[in-house]
Amino acid sequence: MIVMKFGGSSVVRAEQIRNMGDIVRAALNRKPALVLSAMGDTTDYLLESAEAALKRGFVSIEKIEDLHLGVISELDLGAALQREIKTLFWELGSLLTGISLTRELTGRTRDCLVSFGERLSVRIAAAYLRSQGIKALAIDAWDAGFLSDSAFGQAELKPESPVRISASLLTIIAEGTLPVITGFIAKDGNGNITTLGRGGSDLSATVIAAACKAEEVQIWKDVDGILTADPRLVAHARPVERVTYDEAAELAYFGAQVLHPRAMQPCIKTGTPVLVKNSYNPAAPGTRIEALPGANEAKIRAVTSKKNITLVDIVSTRMLGQSGFLARVFADFARNGISIDMIATSEVSVSLTLDAGSDLGPIRRELSEYAGVEVKTEKAIVTIIGDVRRSSEILHDAFGICRDLGIQVQMVSQGASKVNISFIVNDAEADRVVVELHRFFFGEEGKPGPGGTGKMPKRGKR
Ligand code: ASP
Ligand code: MG
């Protein structure tokens, strides 16, 4: 058995759904379970509609209604499906009217509203597959055993989910049916619809794979796999053949739009390999994510950056030389619900990074009771995912590049997962650093980079 997940861009219109059908048909002998995202930008659109209903009291959902109904007629999926989809749109419209009348939008209502995206896409895709002679069945995640807590917008699955999931899906698959399951959503113990966080369909897929002891999870996207850098920034970015779970998780956390950050977790436990593939170019090998690195790996896997970061420098004043300084700092952040990304410490000071956007007023006051606090905004984290056993070499190269660019490195941290070297520069400088690092380690079209061989570069020859 395998799990095949198709992201929003892989089911965006009739043509992509046909294409998805071809890919699935070719894999039928491997007994797949399908997990789908909402079609195209539907999720964004639904979230915007919710805000519009709240603020302006009027919304039109014509655009996504046209998209879905248009696909149904183009694929000629029949009147029964059309009625089913129209009923869902009627419910969705009523929900939006409710929001606009009450001018109230709770997390619970928002999750219920965005769930329509996936509920629509699985019904359309399953109907299409049936029209092609494949015995497919659309299933809402809660009917496939997805039970979560009630943390709307960011729900966690309950420990009993995997057993429920495998019980329900393995029976269906054994009957020769292809389950087409909504990604991203679940229900809590009270029957409320929840969501697993943006991009959560990846997690749904890996949870199913781990629960059903699948041979493999395939994540079908619109790029040739995990790339060596963001292709919008680096034209020569190319797919990485294989990465470890740790490397993929670091990449997801530090800005690469590859996979949901938590998606790797279920597969790490079971050792299930994850294959990232391009539905627009199925012949490309994609990226394989698995437990162990391959032999003869290059020293760098990818370069990525995360912008709009705030750097906080905290210097102990009263607690100089006292134990418990760090404990107190972390406790203060935790109490304020602010999550920390990177940390660098010395005996009496700690620098840490946060996503911009949190209100730092209260934490600042608390820290000021025992420390000097300096907050610096508009920073970026540049992350090199690579072989940290060669970190001296990598740091030497990277800092040399920053020096040549006249860019000051403001903080450095080497992840404990042994795959991540990160440093902070100014936001406005990050793109240049990424481009130059990529050029150095991966080269340009038809030309290897000086750093790709693992030899020390000669100064000034870059
Ligand atoms: N449709 C949801 C989103 O856009 C979930 C997903 O695509 O994975 O975030
Ligand atoms: Mg999506």
Side-chain angles (χ1 to χ4, degrees), residues 42 65 77 99 135 146 201 256 278 292 308 314 325 361 382 437:
T42 302
E65 202 165 355
L77 299 180
I99 296 169
K135 211 174 131 201
F146 280 79
S201 302
N278 188 355
L292 296 172
N308 208 7
I314 303 156
F325 169 58
V382 175
L437 285 172

Side-chain angles (χ1 to χ4, degrees), residues 5 37-38 43 118 184 198-202:
K5 181 253 165 174
S37 291
T43 305
E118 272 69 11
F184 182 50
R198 290 308 306 268
S201 302
D202 292 339

Side-chain angles (χ1 to χ4, degrees), residues 13-23 74-75 128:
R13 285 182 186 284
E15 188 194 330
Q16 285 75 26
I17 292 177
R18 283 197 197 98
N19 186 35
M20 178 271 300
D22 293 342
I23 294 170
E74 201 178 329
L75 294 174
Y128 171 72

